[in-house]
């Protein structure tokens, strides 16, 4: 697969894109931390909503899983883990995009829920369209999670996997909106990871922490067939036999052979414009 590079803002590793987030009734107060809030050395403040099982256990890895419901002080919901589910992100990327959020994650014990009041300057450079307002974040640090670890069923499709006439096997990991599906000429926006059947990760947009854009018609046959079964928001695991992957192509260094396993999340797709 040849990637057509494009710069993409991080989605939900930043608390952003209010237009795409269903509103949640905001907590109070929004415009300033309450008197009982604890102020940190950075000037950010918090209260504990639910204590951690172990107050001395803090996250210290590379990939962190967390939940965050986010409001700006004008009452607008900026992100919602109630809607999107937990977020998995690299602390390095969070520190570059929103250092205040990264600091809050690193100083919140694993398993604890805190409500943070964070000044906008602590979140800069911030998410697209971020207002210059105080942000309130209900944050729970779930812990460390490796999003590119080989799945337990990487060696072969499980009994409950669905199969097509071509030999493609697949299993839906998460349903999206159930709407329209890509066509054979669609350009797709995805996250993906690919493994050989012995569990070796050979490619991953997730590991690069940047979504990928592809013309579907230029991908291997197994992808062309499989992605057309997906709707926006779907996450699917595909077991692609070699004849639908790279076995029919001339050998090249680094190109895997045999059955390949891909986890794919489809975020969006567009149809190409007529020339």
């Amino acid at each position: 697969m040849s990637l057509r590079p494009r710069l993409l803002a991080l989605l939900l590793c930043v608390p952003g894109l209010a237009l795409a987030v269903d509103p949640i009734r905001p907590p109070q107060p929004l415009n300033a931390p309450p008197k009982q809030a604890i102020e940190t050395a950075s000037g950010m403040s918090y209260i504990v909503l639910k204590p951690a099982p172990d107050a001395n256990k803090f996250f210290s890895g590379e990939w962190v899983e967390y939940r965050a419901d986010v409001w700006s002080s004008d009452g607008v919901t900026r992100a919602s883990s109630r809607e999107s589910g937990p977020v998995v992100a690299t602390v390095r990327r969070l520190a570059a995009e929103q250092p205040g959020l990264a600091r809050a994650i690193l100083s919140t014990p694993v398993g604890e829920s805190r409500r943070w009041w964070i000044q906008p300057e602590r979140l800069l450079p911030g998410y697209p369209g971020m207002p210059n307002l105080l942000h309130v974040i209900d944050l729970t640090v779930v812990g460390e999670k490796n999003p590119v670890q080989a799945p337990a069923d990487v060696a072969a499709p499980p009994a409950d996997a669905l199969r097509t006439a071509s030999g493609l096997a697949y299993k839906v990991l998460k349903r999206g909106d159930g709407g329209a599906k890509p066509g054979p000429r669609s350009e797709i926006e995805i996250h993906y990871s690919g493994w050989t059947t012995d569990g070796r990760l050979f490619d991953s947009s997730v590991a690069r922490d940047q979504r990928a854009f592809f013309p579907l018609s230029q991908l291997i046959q197994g992808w062309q067939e499989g992605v057309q079964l997906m709707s926006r928001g779907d996450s699917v695991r595909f077991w692609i036999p070699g004849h639908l992957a790279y076995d029919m192509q001339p050998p090249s260094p680094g190109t895997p052979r045999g059955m390949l396993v891909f986890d794919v999340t489809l975020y969006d797709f567009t149809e190409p414009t007529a020339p």
Side-chain angles (χ1 to χ4, degrees):
M1 291 178 291
S2 58
L3 174 63
R4 188 185 310 181
R6 301 182 189 180
L7 187 62
L8 181 72
L10 186 64
L11 174 64
L12 278 179
C13 287
V14 298
L17 304 191
L19 292 177
V21 179
D22 290 336
I24 305 172
R25 183 176 180 178
Q28 298 298 328
L30 278 177
N31 57 358
K35 292 181 179 179
Q36 72 269 27
I38 300 170
E39 184 175 352
T40 67
S42 65
M44 305 188 315
S45 300
Y46 70 91
I47 59 173
V48 176
L49 302 176
K50 179 183 177 182
D54 181 355
N56 296 312
K57 182 181 179 181
F58 293 88
F59 172 81
S60 59
E62 178 183 1
W63 289 88
V64 62
E65 182 178 15
Y66 66 95
R67 293 191 294 270
D69 296 328
V70 184
W71 302 265
S72 48
S73 59
D74 57 1
V76 174
T77 305
R78 300 291 173 176
S80 169
S81 281
R82 303 182 205 183
E83 178 182 330
S84 67
V87 179
V88 178
T90 62
V91 173
R92 183 188 325 111
R93 182 69 177 268
L94 287 172
E97 296 283 344
Q98 289 189 92
L101 177 57
R103 186 183 294 272
I105 288 170
L106 293 173
S107 58
T108 298
V110 173
E112 184 157 296
S113 297
R114 291 182 176 181
R115 179 166 295 152
W116 286 89
W117 285 262
I118 303 180
Q119 300 87 348
E121 60 269 21
R122 298 286 181 189
L123 295 171
L124 293 175
Y127 56 86
M130 188 184 82
N132 187 32
L133 297 170
L134 187 72
H135 280 60
V136 179
I137 303 178
D138 281 2
L139 173 71
T140 302
V141 177
V142 178
E144 186 170 5
K145 182 174 183 178
N146 181 0
V148 294
Q149 182 175 354
D153 51 12
V154 72
D160 60 348
L162 302 173
R163 299 172 185 269
T164 70
S166 69
L168 177 72
Y170 67 98
K171 185 175 183 178
V172 177
L173 305 178
K174 180 182 177 182
R175 288 287 185 188
D177 62 15
K181 294 176 171 57
R185 298 179 64 247
S186 295
E187 292 205 0
I188 58 173
E189 177 186 345
I190 59 169
H191 256 325
Y192 71 94
S193 296
W195 300 269
T196 54
T197 52
D198 60 359
R200 177 178 65 87
L201 179 75
F202 63 87
D203 193 11
S204 175
S205 66
V206 177
R208 292 189 292 273
D209 205 5
Q210 186 175 12
R211 292 183 189 176
F213 293 80
F214 294 120
L216 187 54
S217 61
Q218 295 181 16
L219 303 181
I220 56 175
Q221 188 176 344
W223 271 60
Q224 292 184 42
E225 180 182 358
V227 173
Q228 290 187 70
L229 302 172
M230 302 176 67
S231 296
R232 291 179 177 91
D234 284 355
S235 294
V236 178
R237 180 166 298 151
F238 294 104
W239 290 263
I240 300 179
H243 70 277
L244 299 179
Y246 298 104
D247 286 6
M248 307 303 290
Q249 300 181 10
S252 61
T255 300
R257 314 295 280 184
M259 179 176 284
L260 303 177
V261 181
F262 287 93
D263 280 3
V264 180
T265 298
L266 177 66
Y267 292 101
D268 200 4
F269 62 88
T270 57
E271 298 302 321
T273 56

